């Protein structure tokens, strides 16, 4: 078993000065913590993997392909591989668990 605490993951991510911290990598998936502060742009590009976002905290909009929705704590969003997507209008610091399948390269 592997177990993680979000507060410890957030501290590790912040200490490494990055928006993304991959904390689990297995044969069929990887999991990370993604952080964007209020008003910050989302620099990501489409990925070669399917992904699922689970919003841990914060408030924003996300556009996936041509669809846009608002997200906040508890929201879950699926993004198919190679589809353009961005968080935007981030009104509260955003912390998101990201599951990639297969694992992020």
């Amino acid at each position: 078993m592997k177990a993680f605490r979000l507060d410890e993951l957030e501290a590790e991510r912040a200490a490494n000065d990055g928006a993304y911290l991959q904390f689990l990598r297995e044969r069929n998936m990887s999991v990370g913590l993604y952080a964007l502060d209020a008003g910050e742009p989302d620099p990501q590009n489409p990925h070669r993997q399917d992904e699922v976002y689970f919003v841990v905290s914060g408030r924003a909009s996300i556009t996936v392909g041509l669809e846009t929705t608002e997200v906040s704590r508890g929201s879950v969003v699926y993004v198919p591989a190679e589809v353009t997507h961005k968080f935007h209008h981030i009104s509260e610091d955003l912390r998101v668990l990201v599951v990639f399948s297969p694992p992020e390269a």
Side-chain angles (χ1 to χ4, degrees):
M1 177 173 75
K2 296 177 183 176
F4 304 92
R5 291 181 45 97
L6 283 173
D7 57 342
E8 293 171 356
L9 295 172
E10 175 63 10
E12 183 179 349
R13 184 206 58 77
N16 289 317
D17 293 326
Y20 184 72
L21 170 71
Q22 183 181 106
F23 61 88
L24 179 65
R25 183 178 182 86
E26 297 294 334
R27 184 172 51 94
N28 293 317
M29 66 175 216
S30 62
V31 184
L33 178 64
Y34 189 44
L36 293 167
D37 291 336
E40 186 176 359
D42 182 359
Q44 68 179 322
N45 293 309
H47 303 98
R48 293 184 305 197
Q49 305 84 0
D50 287 343
E51 58 188 309
V52 173
Y53 290 113
F54 173 73
V55 178
V56 175
S57 63
R59 185 173 303 276
S61 293
I62 185 171
T63 298
V64 178
L66 300 175
E67 297 179 89
T68 299
T69 191
E70 293 184 15
V71 295
S72 59
R73 186 172 62 98
S75 296
V76 178
V77 177
Y78 166 68
V79 179
E82 303 292 343
V83 174
T84 301
H85 58 285
K86 297 265 186 212
F87 289 100
H88 52 91
H89 296 96
I90 302 168
S91 59
E92 296 175 14
D93 293 353
L94 196 61
R95 300 299 181 264
V96 182
L97 287 178
V98 185
V99 179
F100 287 100
S101 180
E104 183 183 34

